[in-house]
Amino acid sequence: MKKSTFTLLIFLSLFSILSAQTYFPEKGKWVEKSPTELGLDSDKIQQAINYAIEHESDADPNLKIAHYESAFGREPFGYPIGPMKIRGAATGLIIYKGYVVGKWGDPNRVDLTFSVAKSFLSTTAGLAVEEGLITSEMDLVYPYMAPIYPYEPTKLMINKADHFEDEDTFELFNTEHNRTITWDHLLRQTSDWEGSLWGKPDWADRPREGVKEKRTRPQNAPGSVYEYNDTRVNVLALALMNVWRKPLPVILKSKIMDPIGASDTWRWTGYENSFVIIDGQIMQSVSGGSHWGGGMMLSAWDQARFGYLTLNDGKWNNQQLIPSFWINKSKTPTPANPGYGFMNYFLNNDQEFIPAAPKTAFAHIGAGTNMIYVDQENDLVIVARWIPNNDKNELVRLVLESLK
């Protein structure tokens, strides 16, 4: 073989390897390509975009008003205790093979993402397991917990003699039932934790069967029954902060958001009364959603980066940010809910969640609807903000049809 031919073959092999590498966007830059450049049907992509814009949620953009007009505002103790924000118009992104092939609205706008925050929360749990702060997610939680010291400056003005017998601390897992709860139960929303946190009793969150019935029923054995409950999500957030001994947004920023090139505009907040003292520092325990305000505020671009990270099994630019074993567990359901893994990974194994999507697709979902659709089979991420939940399937169907 001639030297020139051999050199050419090496060059072609290297070119093939390089061209097959996954594209990861730099901070502040995400390459856009026309759908036709990547072999997509541009008319179908435009149809999908038009559909998302035309089917914007009819809930009031003032999220405080929307809260009180919804079932959330009619719950016992349903008043917000964290910051809320007027939302923008319908917004979204379509990412195919790592490139932006469609966008609408204002992807730079920072809005609440509601329960998508749960996926960021469960990520910090996975990082704690990887760091050895938690030996296994199957461990009981209570041995990891110290007494909680709430930061309550108003108590300084109270006559101490009038509160002589009051506790200055509280415990998260000091009941017979709560001592049987594992990290896995909290992550899968199957713990049935009992108690009250930040002024929100567990029985006051979505008491569909009735307040009296929910408040007085026996607790379900941990792991046996799935119940979507933000009080218990907030228990996990506080428990994880106690393990890390740092605010969770600090952990998320250094280990996830900065490495994936997220903007500097995202904020993860808690409630006006969710401050505690750890190691002499005042720290705010974050909300795992925005049910009562607070939670994750970020742009569609930053949502897309997180979705793209989970599309690539937690890997970004050859750096494994979320352990691959944690991604696998996040996508593994239990009999208590075959459509749910770790929060907030909604699965499509039975193709009921998004019928048009493949069984392997999953989504990080929050109220609004805020959706990060992740489709590894088709190398596809769709961010859709402020679209009715019942319309998400049609949006996904139109985008998938563009691939054919």
Side-chain angles (χ1 to χ4, degrees):
M1 181 182 295
K2 294 182 179 179
K3 185 176 180 180
S4 58
T5 304
F6 180 72
T7 302
L8 178 61
L9 287 173
I10 292 177
F11 173 80
L12 290 173
S13 297
L14 288 172
F15 177 79
S16 176
I17 292 170
L18 291 172
S19 62
Q21 287 181 343
T22 302
Y23 163 73
F24 290 95
E26 298 176 18
K27 181 175 182 176
K29 300 176 183 178
W30 204 320
V31 174
E32 298 183 33
K33 292 192 175 185
S34 69
T36 52
E37 282 184 85
L38 296 176
L40 305 182
D41 185 328
S42 59
D43 289 338
K44 284 290 184 183
I45 292 291
Q46 192 57 53
Q47 285 181 40
I49 292 171
N50 293 342
Y51 181 86
I53 294 172
E54 292 165 4
H55 288 75
E56 180 180 336
S57 169
D58 60 3
D60 198 297
N62 184 323
L63 296 181
K64 292 180 183 177
I65 294 175
H67 175 87
Y68 282 110
E69 290 180 346
S70 73
F72 288 164
R74 296 188 292 274
E75 292 175 349
F77 309 100
Y79 48 86
I81 52 174
M84 303 184 88
K85 167 179 201 295
I86 295 174
R87 69 166 174 85
T91 297
L93 296 161
I94 303 171
I95 313 294
Y96 179 61
K97 294 187 182 298
Y99 299 98
V100 180
V101 294
K103 62 180 179 179
W104 62 97
D106 181 6
N108 288 302
R109 181 184 171 88
V110 174
D111 270 334
L112 281 171
T113 193
F114 289 90
S115 285
V116 174
K118 292 178 173 64
S119 293
F120 292 100
L121 179 59
S122 60
T123 295
T124 66
L127 296 174
V129 172
E130 182 184 40
E131 295 259 335
L133 300 174
I134 298 172
T135 304
S136 167
E137 75 279 2
M138 306 308 292
D139 286 352
L140 295 172
V141 183
Y142 84 86
Y144 289 85
M145 291 297 104
I148 306 297
Y149 294 78
Y151 175 65
E152 299 175 304
T154 55
K155 277 193 173 181
L156 297 174
M157 298 176 282
I158 294 175
N159 186 332
K160 295 294 184 182
D162 292 338
H163 300 270
F164 182 67
E165 295 184 356
D166 291 354
E167 276 279 19
D168 294 325
T169 67
F170 65 90
E171 304 272 358
L172 287 175
F173 297 90
N174 63 339
T175 71
E176 183 178 353
H177 170 82
N178 288 348
R179 288 170 72 90
T180 64
I181 292 171
T182 67
W183 295 100
D184 186 79
H185 295 142
L186 290 171
L187 287 160
R188 298 187 183 281
Q189 303 221 56
T190 60
S191 72
D192 213 29
W193 180 90
E194 59 183 358
S196 180
L197 183 62
W198 315 135
K200 305 295 184 182
D202 69 276
W203 49 262
D205 186 350
R206 302 170 177 88
R208 295 182 180 88
E209 65 269 51
V211 172
K212 180 179 180 180
E213 290 78 8
K214 186 171 182 180
R215 193 175 65 83
T216 59
R217 68 163 171 78
Q219 298 304 114
N220 297 303
S224 64
V225 176
Y226 167 88
E227 183 180 333
Y228 203 88
N229 185 292
D230 274 17
T231 294
R232 295 171 187 142
V233 173
N234 292 332
V235 167
L236 175 61
L238 180 54
L240 285 170
M241 187 170 75
N242 274 262
V243 167
W244 280 104
R245 306 175 87 103
K246 295 178 183 178
L248 296 187
V250 173
I251 304 301
L252 188 73
K253 182 178 189 298
S254 65
K255 295 186 175 294
I256 300 295
M257 301 303 271
D258 284 353
I260 66 175
S263 73
D264 298 314
T265 62
W266 66 273
R267 294 293 183 271
W268 194 6
T269 65
Y271 304 133
E272 59 195 22
N273 62 342
S274 65
F275 289 89
V276 302
I277 299 174
I278 299 177
D279 298 334
Q281 303 295 313
I282 301 169
M283 301 181 190
Q284 187 183 44
S285 187
V286 293
S287 164
S290 301
H291 186 159
W292 299 295
M296 181 70 77
M297 299 184 185
L298 76 173
S299 68
W301 289 116
D302 288 344
Q303 279 187 315
R305 285 177 183 269
F306 182 75
Y308 195 52
L309 175 65
T310 59
L311 176 86
N312 287 285
D313 291 325
K315 199 171 189 179
W316 193 278
N317 263 342
N318 297 318
Q319 187 179 1
Q320 195 72 47
L321 301 179
I322 305 174
S324 57
F325 72 81
W326 196 257
I327 295 289
N328 291 335
K329 290 179 179 181
S330 298
K331 297 188 293 182
T332 302
T334 61
N337 187 345
Y340 198 75
F342 287 163
M343 59 190 187
N344 224 19
Y345 285 70
F346 284 89
L347 311 177
N348 200 44
N349 295 328
D350 54 9
Q351 289 185 293
E352 289 185 7
F353 179 59
I354 303 179
K359 293 181 179 181
T360 55
F362 61 93
H364 312 281
I365 290 280
T369 290
N370 279 268
M371 175 179 74
I372 306 174
Y373 170 81
V374 182
D375 186 340
Q376 293 176 306
E377 283 189 33
N378 292 297
D379 206 350
L380 176 68
V381 172
I382 304 171
V383 174
R385 314 195 74 174
W386 319 121
I387 183 172
N389 185 58
N390 291 336
D391 291 333
K392 67 182 184 297
N393 180 69
E394 181 63 12
L395 173 63
V396 171
R397 186 188 70 79
L398 289 168
V399 175
L400 289 177
E401 282 194 356
S402 75
L403 276 60
K404 297 176 182 178

